[in-house]
Amino acid sequence: MQVSDLFRYRNPEIKALHLTWIAFFISFFVWFNMAPLATTMMKSLGWLTMKDVKILAICNVALTIPARLITGMALDKFGPRRVFSVLMVIMAVPALVFAFGNSFAQLLASRLVLSSIGASFVVGIHMTALWFKPKDIGFAEGFYAGWGNFGSAAAAMTLPYIALTMFGGESGWRYALALSAIIMAAYGVFYWFAITDGPAGSIHRKPRKVAALEVSTWGDMIKLLICTVPMVGILVILVWRIQSSGYMGAGWAYVCYLVIAAIVIWQLVQVLLVNIPILKKGVPEDDKYPFNSVLALNTTYFANFGAELAVVSMLPAFFEQTWTLSATQAGLIASSFAFVNLFARPLGGLISDRFTSRKVVMMVYMFGIACGFFLMGLMGSTWPLVLAIIVTICCSVFVQGAEGATFGIIPSIKRRLTGQISGMAGAYGNVGAVFYLFVLTFVTSKQFFFIISAGAFISFIFCLVFLKEPEGGYSEEYHLSSVDREIEKEMGGLGH
């Protein structure tokens, strides 16, 4: 696949790619529509404080992790077209409630529910994988994610203008937020009718069970049990943070802890219920897949996407305080970290497609992140500002590129489990964000950069030891096992 192919709109797969990244773009636009209007909201409402806004920001990512897991299961059962459309239409409801909320409880509850829209990322990953062949999947996934992620930056750049200039008045911010929600719902309806789950006549290959990821060996099942715990267990940190800030009493906090524990136990039970019968029956050799590769890619997304979300939240203050800049100047410089998403993530996928080893590309990127964050940890006021900006942008190129390379591998690990594996890796990205943001509250900015550098290096070691070059990663078609064909027969060989 060439870059010029992106302009061949009549090609069905190119049309699907554009329709899908636009859906992702709108979803992220709505997801991050609060931050650029936060100060406007505070002036308009009077009673909303900066402390309230910080709590709302935490709630904005709270349910993304379980939502990505649940969405991953739904993808394999219903297909990405239905899931994406329904997600966009349903999430418009809390977005509208937030826009017209008149109490902190309304804002908090609606923002908490709206955080589920973050699951949109894994939906598009699955849809793109259904349309593109293994040899092109890296660039396609990178383009999808890079341009879709730009929705958050687009919200920051346009919403203040829409709220203050187009609508104006004390309620301008409400109408701006409501408009973005209505556009999302309308596009969700359009998406339902405008696209199919893969080319016409293709088969939607799905797992036998969607309640938990299938594995190939007893050892893999134990690893899956272990790595299942942090995916929802990390929410304990969020509850503790909200409680310690005085927004939740101890009683409700204990209720939340019990709910989190119950969900974790339920997930562990599902892993056992799904896999014990499969493993007792025996997994055919050609149906086995390397679960260690899933673990390795969980660490890469933890270390790259998790670090990105954390760094974006602290970088403006770091530049402002270190070089004594104005808030506007620091914000513009810091925005360069996210802005390179437009080309760095597609580039990561493209390089993954062009080289002869996706594993080596992944390792080079993770090593580059480790070096980049280490250099950022050395930055100080004695550094020329221009040099600091160059180091920051170069580091970001590696971070975004690594994200593209991660999802250049996932579709080739196990075709019928792409949704669940994408959901797990995506969830680990948010686990990383929550973990790193939590660590940030205890350390200085310099120490923080060294810590996330170490995280990337640990992931590099993980990839070196555990990541396996995906079978048929550069083939015309995805590898199909005897079980895949058996499931296909059970479905009657019908395409959709």
Side-chain angles (χ1 to χ4, degrees):
M1 183 179 176
Q2 306 294 327
V3 175
S4 59
D5 290 337
L6 293 170
F7 298 98
R8 294 176 180 168
Y9 303 108
R10 292 185 178 179
N11 285 5
E13 66 272 21
I14 299 300
K15 179 184 174 184
L17 178 61
H18 289 306
L19 287 173
T20 303
W21 79 254
I22 291 172
F24 181 36
F25 176 95
I26 295 172
S27 299
F28 264 45
F29 189 99
V30 173
W31 190 16
F32 292 99
N33 64 9
M34 182 191 72
L37 295 176
T39 54
T40 306
M41 290 171 59
M42 290 167 60
K43 291 176 185 173
S44 170
L45 295 174
W47 48 264
L48 189 69
T49 66
M50 182 52 71
K51 187 179 176 184
D52 296 332
V53 170
K54 288 181 178 179
I55 292 300
L56 291 175
I58 293 175
C59 292
N60 201 40
V61 299
L63 297 186
T64 306
I65 298 170
R68 285 188 169 183
L69 293 172
I70 295 169
T71 300
M73 299 173 192
L75 282 174
D76 290 328
K77 185 172 181 64
F78 301 109
R81 177 181 68 93
R82 296 182 180 90
V83 174
F84 220 151
S85 296
V86 170
L87 188 67
M88 283 190 282
V89 172
I90 290 179
M91 284 299 108
V93 176
L96 285 170
V97 172
F98 184 84
F100 296 106
N102 280 315
S103 68
F104 184 70
Q106 289 176 339
L107 297 183
L108 188 141
S110 56
R111 190 47 66 171
L112 197 62
V113 177
L114 184 59
S115 64
S116 303
I117 193 64
S120 56
F121 168 69
V122 297
V123 187
I125 285 289
H126 194 182
M127 176 63 92
T128 307
L130 291 177
W131 278 95
F132 287 85
K133 299 181 183 301
K135 62 186 180 65
D136 297 323
I137 194 63
F139 180 62
E141 298 283 23
F143 182 83
Y144 155 78
W147 282 69
N149 260 318
F150 190 66
S152 59
M157 289 188 288
T158 61
L159 275 174
Y161 174 81
I162 295 172
L164 300 175
T165 306
M166 281 184 59
F167 291 112
E170 284 198 351
S171 298
W173 65 272
R174 294 185 185 276
Y175 300 130
L177 295 182
L179 178 63
S180 65
I182 292 169
I183 291 174
M184 181 172 69
Y187 194 84
V189 175
F190 167 75
Y191 193 78
W192 180 285
F193 296 103
I195 198 170
T196 58
D197 289 334
S202 62
I203 301 296
H204 177 205
R205 296 183 175 85
K206 50 189 181 181
R208 290 165 290 196
K209 303 283 185 181
V210 297
L213 186 65
E214 298 172 25
V215 293
S216 306
T217 67
W218 293 102
D220 289 346
M221 189 181 73
I222 294 173
K223 295 171 190 170
L224 177 59
L225 288 170
I226 294 172
C227 73
T228 294
V229 175
M231 290 192 290
V232 174
I234 195 76
L235 293 179
V236 168
I237 290 178
L238 290 174
V239 174
W240 175 83
R241 183 71 179 86
I242 293 173
Q243 183 201 356
S244 62
S245 300
Y247 288 89
M248 182 188 292
W252 279 110
Y254 286 126
V255 171
C256 292
Y257 293 141
L258 287 174
V259 170
I260 292 170
I263 294 174
V264 171
I265 292 170
W266 180 82
Q267 283 188 304
L268 296 177
V269 171
Q270 294 305 311
V271 169
L272 296 173
L273 291 176
V274 167
N275 284 291
I276 287 177
I278 294 175
L279 295 173
K280 279 186 174 178
K281 182 181 177 183
V283 179
E285 280 301 318
D286 70 334
D287 194 50
K288 292 180 178 177
Y289 72 96
F291 186 73
N292 282 347
S293 290
V294 178
L295 294 178
L297 295 176
N298 287 346
T299 70
T300 63
Y301 218 58
F302 180 104
N304 53 49
F305 187 70
E308 179 193 344
L309 290 184
V311 168
V312 166
S313 69
M314 54 76 70
L315 206 53
F318 172 74
F319 271 99
E320 184 179 346
Q321 293 165 1
T322 306
W323 282 275
T324 323
L325 303 175
S326 69
T328 304
Q329 290 172 323
L332 283 173
I333 292 171
S335 68
S336 62
F337 195 90
F339 192 79
V340 298
N341 235 325
L342 281 178
F343 68 90
R345 194 152 178 162
L347 180 65
L350 187 64
I351 292 174
S352 181
D353 287 344
R354 291 290 182 270
F355 277 65
T356 54
S357 170
R358 294 188 188 274
K359 173 180 176 176
V360 171
V361 171
M362 189 77 256
M363 290 171 53
V364 169
Y365 266 117
M366 295 313 298
F367 191 75
I369 295 174
C371 295
F373 282 135
F374 185 81
L375 284 175
M376 290 181 72
L378 297 178
M379 291 194 310
S381 58
T382 56
W383 279 45
L385 180 59
V386 173
L387 180 59
I389 295 172
I390 292 172
V391 169
T392 300
I393 291 176
C394 289
C395 181
S396 180
V397 168
F398 277 98
V399 172
Q400 324 285 359
E403 293 166 6
T406 298
F407 282 91
I409 296 176
I410 283 177
S412 298
I413 293 179
K414 191 64 183 171
R415 178 62 163 166
R416 72 170 185 273
L417 305 177
T418 298
Q420 288 172 307
I421 296 174
S422 298
M424 182 183 289
Y428 260 88
N430 278 72
V431 171
V434 173
F435 176 77
Y436 282 141
L437 284 170
F438 178 70
V439 170
L440 182 60
T441 60
F442 299 102
V443 299
T444 65
S445 297
K446 281 179 168 290
Q447 291 169 333
F448 178 67
F449 286 130
F450 288 136
I451 289 171
I452 55 179
S453 169
F457 186 73
I458 291 171
S459 176
F460 165 81
I461 299 296
F462 243 85
C463 291
L464 175 66
V465 177
F466 296 114
L467 183 60
K468 184 180 178 183
E469 189 68 30
E471 186 176 354
Y474 295 95
S475 304
E476 286 290 335
E477 298 296 341
Y478 291 94
H479 169 74
L480 293 179
S481 68
S482 56
V483 176
D484 292 324
R485 295 191 176 86
E486 186 180 316
I487 295 174
E488 192 175 307
K489 285 182 182 176
E490 292 171 2
M491 294 172 61
L494 298 175
H496 62 92

